[in-house]
Amino acid sequence: MSEAVSRRSAIRLLGAVGAAGSALGTAGCVAAVPPGALPRKASPAVPAAGKPAVGARVDALLDQLTLDEKTALLHGGPDPDPHARGRAGYVAGVPRLGIPALRFADGPAGIGVGRPATALPAPVMLASAFDPALAREYGRVIGREGRALGQDVLLGPMANLIRTPWAGRNFESFAEDPRLTADIVGQVVRGVQDEGLIAAVPHFVLDDQEFGRDTVDVSVGEQTLHETGLRGFEAAVAAGAGAVTGARHKVNGVHACENGPLLDEVLRGRWGFDGWVLSDPDALHGAVAPITAGLDMEMPGGVHFGGPLREAVQGGSVPQEAVDLAVRRILTTLDRFGLLTDQLPARPARNAPAGARTARKVATAGAVLLRNERGTLPLTGAAARSLAVIGPTGRVPLVAGGSAPVLPDRPLSPLTALTRRAGKGATVRYALGEDPYGTALPAGLLTPPAALDDRRVEAGRSWSHQGQFTLAADDEWTLLVHHTGKRPTVRLDGEDLFPVRQGAAEPFAGALLGRAPDGMSVRRRTLALKAGTHRLAVTAEGGSAGQRFRLRHTTRATRAADVAEAVRTARAAHSVVLFAYEDATDGHDRTSLGLPGGQEALIEAVAAVNPRTTVVLNTSSCTTMPWLARTGAVLQMYYPGQEGAGATADLLFGDVDPGGRLTQTFPADERTTPVAGDLLRYPGVGGRQEYTEGVHVGHRWYDANGATPLFPFGHGLSYTTWAYEKLTVRPERGGLRAEFIVRNTGRRKGTEVAQVYVGPSERLALEQPVRVLAGYRRLTLAPGESQSVTVDIDVRTLSSWDPERRAWVLGAGRREVRVGRSSRELTLRAQAVVGSR
């Protein structure tokens, strides 16, 4: 099947389900926007003298490759070199023809291959800076380190939206807003590939939740798809991404990795993507459908694209041309990155100091000050000299989360950073507040007794113990097992407390909660225990290397003691910095938007005795805050990377202004979100999910429904004050140009993110948001300084996707433009007329 034959002369509807949009209004009021409205990065540079052109070079290789060698290039396999292993996969090359092997790394926030690398802040924190130039710098750090650590392909950056606040990997995405997501994705891709690392952008498309991610069938209208979920991927293609990673679920009834309308017609046909498409793990359900739909590579193994694909070609169910086309796409991309030449590009050395500087820059730039009452922050005077630090992530830094843990360069704890910044003469006290790792079982608890707090099991041996204990009253226990080898079996009253779980639930237990400070793996189970006698049985195996393990617990009494200690510590200090956490990860959606465990009660108790309490949130996504009114300040730090402790100190003490702004709306409660109250929207019913919110994703839904959030999209406070003045809007190059003045009216140097939104066209008879983000500018101004700001509102922003015309159509006529500090604080407004094209 040739590429020309595979292209459809007329683009089909994207699946059979849910074409959205209504008929056009009066003729002449709209005009189609050309498909190529976004520029694409040019293909490879001109070859050196004496070298064959790219097409000829790839043709020559295809002529020499056997079928076995071709299919070997289309799937992953085991890495023969354990010292250079790519954590996310390996594809054997063809040494006899000079086709190199490829190593793949996960890395939304750094290169996770088990060797030291810069642990950058989570992508959502990067996006919170509203700074595309910083996004490119972030990408360059990942690109350089990936190449330095022996990797060739990065599975990132994530291009999906933050659609539901419950999604477990929201911190790996950038924003709920399609425009902001597209801006940041494009620049991260450019940065990664500036350094020679190939970006494989996941997960195409609408991979917006962990629940049912392998099986759910997403039903989406065509207008919704183009205006929301596709925008980040389109920007990645425009930036020249070398590869795209397909998702595991279905889109409109067809598995994403065998979805021809998406892979062949949109990705390659409409956008002109010339890289290759690889699968997410376990995303294929056969060989024939994916390769004929446009998938090129199965990762991380070859269940379908190994022997079964060769047999399909030999049996005639897959034409040889389909395999050749997939191999051509891969080889053409490798050639573009200089990987098919006699002299492969030299790998750079790591530049750890430069990576650390960027990590700190992103952590300070993306921090969002959500609340600051009664001058709680910055910490100055008495507040800086008498401080209580409370919470487990005050002492154990929550650097990152997700499926790709990075081994960071010596991260400080926030307690250490704050103590150093407070300096000599200051008193900094610490209290745990909540114990995530448990305490030893009381001596004499078990009959017969057994030492279970640090048990060594030698290699090749096993150890077991059966005993019982008696509770005088009902209690709630959390039992925890810490281990260095195969997880011990712990049975309570005959029940296995820590069985091996299916899928991602087993390997991904959280960056904080899944590993103790000394590196031991941790699993926990909370149980309501009745008064009386209980049977406990423990069995552990030493394996080939031996192991250590310990069994620990928390009870109502230990938790109450921790809170009491925190209250005493808070009462004795002038000010409190309380670190709260939520440890999200791959494979799990959140079960609540509130803080887990007893943290809400801890905040209430501490703030009740010291209202000068600042809560620092090391969380993955938006959080409900029933405790908010009691606090003095709230600083959102997400997962701030290896330099997060120093950045947190910089911000709390006012050495830098908090310049981050929310890229996702924080709801007032769990009942008022874009997907709440509609199980079809999330998590789906009967394996089927519908994007019935249409184009009203994120902050657009709050506007369309008149819902009041806790904190709106774009929100973020500063240590100074700001004024906006003199907005003018006029037509410019088919779009609009907004000009206005921003003034720092306070007494401190500060950072502001000026935001521009545009309203709908009355002449466009398609579903439109109340307003969309049209542009933004990040500014740093001295006290009293003002700056004139110009934001161009491009044709794409003023257009909607028409499923009947199968094109972008411009919303002509009068459009309202509003400017301000967030999506709900828009102090300036003006109107201008967009002409028909």
Side-chain angles (χ1 to χ4, degrees), residues 414-482:
L415 175 61
T416 299
L418 290 170
T419 302
R420 289 179 181 177
R421 177 59 183 81
K424 294 180 180 180
T427 300
V428 180
R429 303 172 177 88
Y430 176 76
L432 182 62
E434 182 180 81
D435 185 356
Y437 305 114
T439 59
L441 298 176
L445 174 73
L446 289 175
T447 305
L452 293 174
D453 193 49
D454 192 1
R455 172 66 62 173
R456 171 77 184 178
V457 184
E458 299 299 329
R461 306 292 296 272
S462 64
W463 182 91
S464 63
H465 181 81
Q466 295 187 32
Q468 62 184 31
F469 62 93
T470 301
L471 294 182
D474 294 352
D475 203 349
E476 182 180 270
W477 278 33
T478 296
L479 277 167
L480 305 96
V481 62
H482 302 208

Side-chain angles (χ1 to χ4, degrees), residues 198 232 362 513:
I198 299 170
V362 174
L513 300 180

Side-chain angles (χ1 to χ4, degrees), residues 536-627:
L536 182 69
V538 182
T539 301
E541 298 177 7
S544 60
Q547 76 154 315
R548 291 172 48 230
F549 79 90
R550 54 188 174 234
L551 191 67
R552 293 191 168 184
H553 80 321
T554 63
T555 67
R556 288 195 182 109
T558 65
R559 290 189 289 272
D562 288 339
V563 172
E565 180 196 15
V567 167
R568 288 193 298 272
T569 304
R571 187 180 279 119
H574 182 280
S575 296
V576 176
V577 178
L578 192 156
F579 287 84
Y581 70 89
E582 180 250 331
D583 195 8
T585 187
D586 192 323
H588 308 263
D589 276 348
R590 306 162 76 191
T591 57
S592 168
L593 303 186
L595 293 170
Q599 294 182 93
E600 291 187 348
L602 173 66
I603 294 171
E604 293 274 6
V606 167
V609 300
N610 193 329
R612 295 177 297 277
T613 293
T614 296
V615 176
V616 177
L617 292 171
N618 292 134
T619 54
S620 69
S621 191
C622 61
T623 304
T624 53
M625 303 181 193
W627 39 265

Side-chain angles (χ1 to χ4, degrees), residues 661-748:
R661 301 296 182 261
L662 290 182
T663 70
Q664 57 191 306
T665 306
F666 278 40
D669 55 60
E670 299 200 8
R671 300 182 303 276
T672 312
T673 78
V675 298
D678 188 342
L679 294 179
L680 266 176
R681 287 188 186 177
Y682 176 82
V685 176
R688 184 170 176 271
Q689 183 185 50
E690 293 186 4
Y691 280 41
T692 54
E693 69 271 27
V695 299
H696 307 291
V697 65
H699 61 94
R700 301 175 180 184
W701 179 89
Y702 287 86
D703 290 340
N705 289 272
T708 300
L710 182 64
F711 297 112
F713 175 87
H715 171 76
L717 302 178
S718 168
Y719 291 148
T720 187
T721 54
W722 302 92
Y724 286 69
E725 305 167 348
K726 300 179 180 178
L727 171 65
T728 61
V729 183
R730 68 176 189 273
E732 184 76 21
R733 292 181 294 184
L736 299 173
R737 173 166 289 180
E739 296 179 323
F740 53 95
I741 293 173
V742 178
R743 188 183 308 277
N744 181 347
T745 58
R747 298 181 178 180
R748 298 175 58 101

Side-chain angles (χ1 to χ4, degrees), residues 742-823:
V742 178
R743 188 183 308 277
N744 181 347
T745 58
R747 298 181 178 180
R748 298 175 58 101
K749 180 181 179 181
T751 297
E752 175 68 328
V753 176
Q755 300 161 48
V756 179
Y757 296 80
V758 62
S761 165
E762 293 182 353
R763 300 188 192 178
L764 191 58
L766 290 167
E767 183 181 28
Q768 298 174 77
V770 173
R771 64 184 65 91
V772 299
L773 179 67
Y776 47 88
R777 288 292 182 275
R778 183 180 176 90
L779 311 167
T780 298
L781 301 178
E785 185 181 3
S786 64
Q787 183 170 328
S788 178
V789 178
T790 299
V791 173
D792 285 328
I793 304 173
D794 59 23
V795 170
R796 171 60 69 85
T797 301
L798 297 168
S799 302
S800 296
W801 179 265
D802 183 355
E804 290 190 1
R805 293 192 178 194
R806 304 198 56 74
W808 291 96
V809 292
L810 180 65
R814 189 169 298 278
R815 307 289 291 265
E816 182 179 68
V817 175
R818 301 188 66 177
V819 175
R821 306 197 65 235
S822 78
S823 64

